[in-house]
Amino acid sequence: VRPQQATAQQAAIAQQKQSAEENARIEAAKQAANKAGSSILAKRKIADLVSQVSPGDTVAPEVEEVLLEIAEDFVENVTNFACLLAKHRNSNVLEVQDLRLHLEKNWGIKVPGYMSDDRGGAASKAQ
């Protein structure tokens, strides 16, 4: 084995190990959140939203559960994809630009307060 090949192999092994460690940390955080019973939204927030949109109306408990599940799945999906974008930038830090890019390109959602850079670069904070 040539020295260049050995170095490339060692680098690949180190990167795989780092990715496995990051995945393990993410999974541990998810499990801890699930054990704590944490939820992104509370049922009360859904009831507040409904009362703002349509005063006097209520939402069945089963519908609240489904809406909570949909919201949590959405946030998890967006976060996971944005993390992939951050990794693609060779960064270990999730930034607004990662979330913004995914939300705008895949969901058609504009992030208030941040403008797209027409050159394909990072998001810039609106003044």
Side-chain angles (χ1 to χ4, degrees):
V1 179
R2 289 186 229 152
Q4 290 174 339
Q5 288 177 329
T7 304
Q9 289 173 343
Q10 290 170 341
I13 290 170
Q15 188 172 6
Q16 287 175 345
K17 183 179 178 184
Q18 183 181 8
S19 292
E21 289 171 352
E22 288 175 17
N23 290 339
R25 280 196 305 267
I26 290 169
E27 192 58 37
K30 285 181 186 178
Q31 289 176 358
N34 287 338
K35 283 182 183 177
S38 66
S39 179
I40 295 167
L41 292 173
K43 288 183 183 181
R44 180 75 187 141
K45 289 289 185 184
I46 292 176
D48 290 345
L49 277 172
V50 170
S51 67
Q52 287 178 8
V53 173
S54 183
D57 287 342
T58 58
V59 177
E62 299 84 20
V63 174
E64 286 179 340
E65 289 293 328
V66 170
L67 290 173
L68 284 172
E69 194 172 315
I70 290 170
E72 288 178 3
D73 288 346
F74 175 77
V75 170
E76 185 175 343
N77 172 280
V78 169
T79 304
N80 286 335
F81 198 91
C83 285
L84 292 174
L85 291 172
K87 281 186 178 182
H88 181 71
R89 290 187 298 103
N90 294 320
S91 175
N92 291 328
V93 177
L94 181 63
E95 295 180 4
V96 172
Q97 67 183 358
D98 304 311
L99 294 164
R100 181 200 53 82
L101 180 62
H102 176 62
L103 289 170
E104 286 183 9
K105 298 296 181 185
N106 297 321
W107 292 94
I109 298 173
K110 301 279 187 195
V111 179
Y114 290 87
M115 302 180 326
S116 297
D117 186 5
D118 293 336
R119 296 167 294 166
S124 60
K125 181 82 171 122
Q127 298 294 336

